[in-house]
């Protein structure tokens, strides 16, 4: 890796440059690097040599160190939340299409009520820009919170991305207000790691993953991406997998901008795997007609797809996203947005349904159930194993004992 990691952009309109902080000409420039350590004595020795340990992640044996010396370690990597500019925030909807059309498209409405209730045993961690805890669909869940940015429980969502994602994954299905999340009664752990400009470092991502696992999450949603990965990101994701936690990540929105491989998605469903194996799920986006959304990345690392074009969900009162004019009274705000960012949490929610009805399943089994129950005839580079089918996933989870279902072709087509 180069001395200064390149900022990883998901929106082409942004100019992305990584530069060291300005320092007086008479002072040696300091830089932050990510190091792996074997013992606390090693860290103490570094500090005695003049380096400053800014942050440690003991579970990953990693530390962020600030120093003017030359140390063999990469700069923290930046990546961005995956949201599409156009038509990301449509303000109208097509006549005859349900407000929350994605609910019908993924057959969540056909999932038995008892299965929605059973998901209450599962916690979904949404690592994002925070959450509006007053949004009715989130407030009803009384979510747990943590900010790795402020090291506090305050997760005020000024960007808006996190609230939208969290409502899709775990929005209440029982409060009679607004939208219904895909995860039934699953619990929500909202972790703020993305800043108000839409960026997250690999160190903050790793810290958020560790926090989520240690605080009971069985599923983690990462609606972030960039064209590079890092050692600390890889360690965090594999550490979560070893703790039997499923990570779901967005596959990226740059199909017409070179269609790059996106990370962390490609760490979960590796390049060349063609949807087989892996330790998590990489999610593409579909249009209203079930075809690939024009922006959704393609490639051999796509696990499956879910609705991601103009999906309807809750918005943060602290963000400036355009709000839908609702024909009903509501204390919350709602609107449309597009991106693989919003396909991923739908899959994370369905994973909670799957684990709720069959708690004995392993991470690999949950991932296999969701891929095997998708709507495609066979794996393809555009939609992976097909589009998300919540009802088929729950049914297959009930039928699965011991060995993961064999991925030969999908159980059903539509």
């Amino acid at each position: 890796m180069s001395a200064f990691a390149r900022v990883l952009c998901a929106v082409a309109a942004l100019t992305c440059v990584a530069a060291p902080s300005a320092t007086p000409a008479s002072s040696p420039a300091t830089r932050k690097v990510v190091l792996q350590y074997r013992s606390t004595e090693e860290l103490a020795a570094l500090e005695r040599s003049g380096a400053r340990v800014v942050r440690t992640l003991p579970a990953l044996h990693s530390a962020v160190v600030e120093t003017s010396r030359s140390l063999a370690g990469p700069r923290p990597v930046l990546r961005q939340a995956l949201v599409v500019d156009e038509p990301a925030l449509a303000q109208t909807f097509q006549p005859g299409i349900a407000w929350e059309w994605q609910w019908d498209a993924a057959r969540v409405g056909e999932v038995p009520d008892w299965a929605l209730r059973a998901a209450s045993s599962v916690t979904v961690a949404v690592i994002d820009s925070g959450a509006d805890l007053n949004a009715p669909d989130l407030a009803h869940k009384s979510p747990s919170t943590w900010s790795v940015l402020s090291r506090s429980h305050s997760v005020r969502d000024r960007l808006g991305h996190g609230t939208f994602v969290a409502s899709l994954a775990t929005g209440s299905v029982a409060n009679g207000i607004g939208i219904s999340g895909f995860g039934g009664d699953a619990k929500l752990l909202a972790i703020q790691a993305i800043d108000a400009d839409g960026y997250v470092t690999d160190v903050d991502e790793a810290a958020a993953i560790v926090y989520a696992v240690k605080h009971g999450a069985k599923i983690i949603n990462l609606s972030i991406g960039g064209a590079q990965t890092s050692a600390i990101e890889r360690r965090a994701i594999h550490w979560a997998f070893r703790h039997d936690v499923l990570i779901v990540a967005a596959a990226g929105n740059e199909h017409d901008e070179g269609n790059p491989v996106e990370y962390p998605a490609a760490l979960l469903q590796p390049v060349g795997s063609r949807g087989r194996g892996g330790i998590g799920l990489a999610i593409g986006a579909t249009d209203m007609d079930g075809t690939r959304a024009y922006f959704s990345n393609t490639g051999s690392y796509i696990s499956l797809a879910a609705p991601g074009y103009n999906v309807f969900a809750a918005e943060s009162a602290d963000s400036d996203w355009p709000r839908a004019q609702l024909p009903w009274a509501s204390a919350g705000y709602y609107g449309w947005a597009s991106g693989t960012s919003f396909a991923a949490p739908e899959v994370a929610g369905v994973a909670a349904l799957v684990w709720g009805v069959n708690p004995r399943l392993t991470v690999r089994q949950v991932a296999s159930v969701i891929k095997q129950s998708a709507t495609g005839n066979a794996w393809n580079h555009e939609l992976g194993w097909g589009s998300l089918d919540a009802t088929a996933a729950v049914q297959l989870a009930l039928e699965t004992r011991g060995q993961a279902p064999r991925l030969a072709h999908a159980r059903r087509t539509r």
Side-chain angles (χ1 to χ4, degrees):
M1 183 179 290
S2 61
F4 296 106
R6 183 172 64 85
V7 175
L8 304 175
C9 290
V11 181
L14 294 176
T15 300
C16 300
V17 179
S21 301
T23 56
S26 59
S27 302
T30 61
R31 62 194 295 265
K32 290 180 181 178
V33 296
V34 183
L35 301 176
Q36 193 168 12
Y37 63 88
R38 289 171 295 183
S39 66
T40 54
E41 287 75 15
E42 284 188 354
L43 289 180
L46 270 175
E47 289 187 304
R48 287 195 297 271
S49 70
R52 185 170 73 93
V53 177
V54 178
R55 183 179 193 176
T56 60
L57 281 73
L60 305 179
H61 299 285
S62 300
V64 179
V65 177
E66 187 175 61
T67 179
S68 58
R69 295 172 53 203
S70 177
L71 293 178
R75 279 280 297 270
V77 175
L78 288 174
R79 60 178 78 256
Q80 193 176 39
L82 293 173
V83 61
V84 177
D85 279 342
E86 175 60 38
L89 300 172
Q91 299 181 63
T92 61
F93 65 99
Q94 299 180 23
I97 301 295
W99 289 78
E100 193 181 356
W101 68 270
Q102 68 269 14
W103 175 267
D104 295 330
R107 298 181 67 218
V108 191
E110 299 173 46
V111 172
D113 185 72
W114 70 267
L116 299 178
R117 306 285 83 80
S120 63
S121 63
V122 181
T123 297
V124 178
V126 173
I127 296 175
D128 216 286
S129 60
D132 181 351
L133 303 182
N134 293 316
D137 293 291
L138 300 186
H140 192 256
K141 290 293 186 79
S142 300
S144 300
T145 62
W146 182 250
S147 172
V148 300
L149 303 181
S150 65
R151 316 291 173 86
S152 74
H153 293 284
S154 175
V155 293
R156 184 177 179 183
D157 185 17
R158 293 180 173 84
L159 182 65
H161 191 268
T163 300
F164 207 90
V165 169
S167 70
L168 287 166
T170 63
S172 175
V173 297
N175 66 343
I177 301 174
I179 61 104
S180 294
F182 278 50
D185 285 349
K187 298 180 180 67
L188 170 63
L189 170 56
I191 303 179
Q192 185 182 61
I194 300 175
D195 65 23
D197 294 321
Y199 289 95
V200 55
T201 70
D202 54 351
V203 177
D204 285 334
E205 175 195 353
I209 289 172
V210 170
Y211 185 93
V213 174
K214 287 190 171 183
H215 288 79
K218 288 294 290 179
I219 300 157
I220 294 174
N221 186 85
L222 292 172
S223 290
I224 58 175
Q228 296 180 8
T229 184
S230 67
I232 194 169
E233 181 179 57
R234 293 191 295 272
R235 284 199 295 274
I237 284 175
H238 283 273
W239 183 82
F241 173 70
R242 291 195 299 273
H243 284 77
D244 205 33
V245 173
L246 175 70
I247 299 182
V248 181
N253 306 326
E254 295 80 26
H255 182 267
D256 294 339
E257 300 163 26
N259 194 32
V261 172
E262 289 278 337
Y263 296 93
L267 298 177
L268 305 172
Q269 188 74 67
V271 174
S273 66
R274 296 172 63 86
R276 296 180 183 276
I279 59 174
L281 295 169
I283 310 302
T286 64
D287 206 332
M288 287 185 177
D289 62 3
T291 60
R292 180 184 64 83
Y294 76 91
F295 51 79
S296 184
N297 287 1
T298 62
S300 60
Y301 69 105
I302 306 298
S303 302
L304 73 154
Y309 179 90
N310 278 359
V311 296
F312 188 75
E315 295 185 351
S316 171
D318 294 315
S319 73
D320 58 0
W321 288 24
R323 295 163 182 168
Q325 297 298 312
L326 305 176
W328 65 84
S330 174
Y333 301 102
Y334 300 86
W336 290 270
S338 296
T340 55
S341 268
F342 313 126
E346 296 168 353
V347 176
V350 171
L353 301 181
V354 166
W355 238 327
V357 301
N358 192 344
R360 296 184 180 87
L361 298 178
T362 66
V363 168
R364 290 190 190 274
Q365 287 177 314
V366 173
S368 292
V369 161
I370 292 173
K371 289 187 283 189
Q372 179 72 4
S373 59
T375 61
N377 288 310
W379 183 91
N380 67 78
H381 74 285
E382 290 206 341
L383 299 180
W385 289 100
S387 192
L388 178 67
D389 187 328
T391 297
V394 167
Q395 182 59 42
L396 183 56
L398 292 170
E399 298 168 1
T400 300
R401 296 290 184 270
Q403 190 173 356
R406 179 172 173 268
L407 286 169
H409 53 79
R411 298 175 65 249
R412 60 160 55 227
T413 57
R414 285 191 301 170

